Amino acid sequence: LQKLIHLLQATDDPLIQEQALITLSNSAAFSVNQDIIRNLDGLAVIGGMLPSCVPKVKEKALNALNNLSMNIKNQEEIQVFITQVCRTVESAPLNSDVQLAGLRLLTNMSVTSDYHQKMINSIPCFLHLLSEGTERTQIQVLKVLVNLSANPAMTRHLLRAQV
């Protein structure tokens, strides 16, 4: 895992980045690896891939963070990327793999109310995706909206959102 994280930091080759991110994502299926990746500063390295211009790299980084977000301590570090993930969801092509990967991460990050405030500005986008997206996109957006709606503090923001 340490060598993969170093490789991710050291290369500018999108194909290598993509493969390293896939491997890290698969490794994150095991809780012991989630802790190891966090302790090796892997969350920051993976999050550093989010601004990539290469859609596949961005998607794989979102997938890796999604798998790593199953751990509460990891969520505490991943939360710094929520605003960036929301912007990615908003700017990605409609129904794209990047958009869906971002929505899946936001679903996991919105299971508890700890980070809902960071998603408020994206509520209009979520509602737009609900009306314009394909069924896959709509289902993923609904998961985020259901999580947000479970928090009474979000009611006003959800009901006042301009679509």
Side-chain angles (χ1 to χ4, degrees), residues 19-117:
Q19 290 305 309
L21 287 165
I22 289 170
T23 305
L24 286 167
S25 182
N26 291 340
S27 299
F30 303 98
S31 56
V32 67
N33 290 342
Q34 293 173 2
D35 293 332
I36 292 169
I37 291 169
R38 181 185 64 252
N39 292 332
L40 292 171
D41 204 29
L43 298 172
V45 173
I46 294 167
M49 299 285 112
L50 293 177
S52 175
C53 298
V54 180
K56 282 290 183 191
V57 171
K58 190 179 298 229
E59 174 197 351
K60 302 309 181 201
L62 289 165
N63 288 339
L65 289 174
N66 182 48
N67 288 350
L68 289 160
S69 72
M70 304 307 279
N71 176 312
I72 296 296
K73 287 183 180 176
N74 285 355
Q75 282 191 3
E76 292 171 8
E77 290 191 30
I78 292 170
Q79 60 96 15
V80 301
F81 301 112
I82 289 176
T83 303
Q84 187 172 6
V85 172
C86 288
R87 281 195 306 266
T88 297
V89 167
E90 291 175 27
S91 64
L94 183 63
N95 306 313
S96 65
D97 290 336
V98 170
Q99 191 172 62
L100 287 167
L103 288 168
R104 282 191 296 271
L105 175 55
L106 292 175
T107 299
N108 281 349
M109 294 300 293
S110 64
V111 168
T112 66
S113 60
D114 297 344
Y115 311 113
H116 287 181
Q117 289 295 116

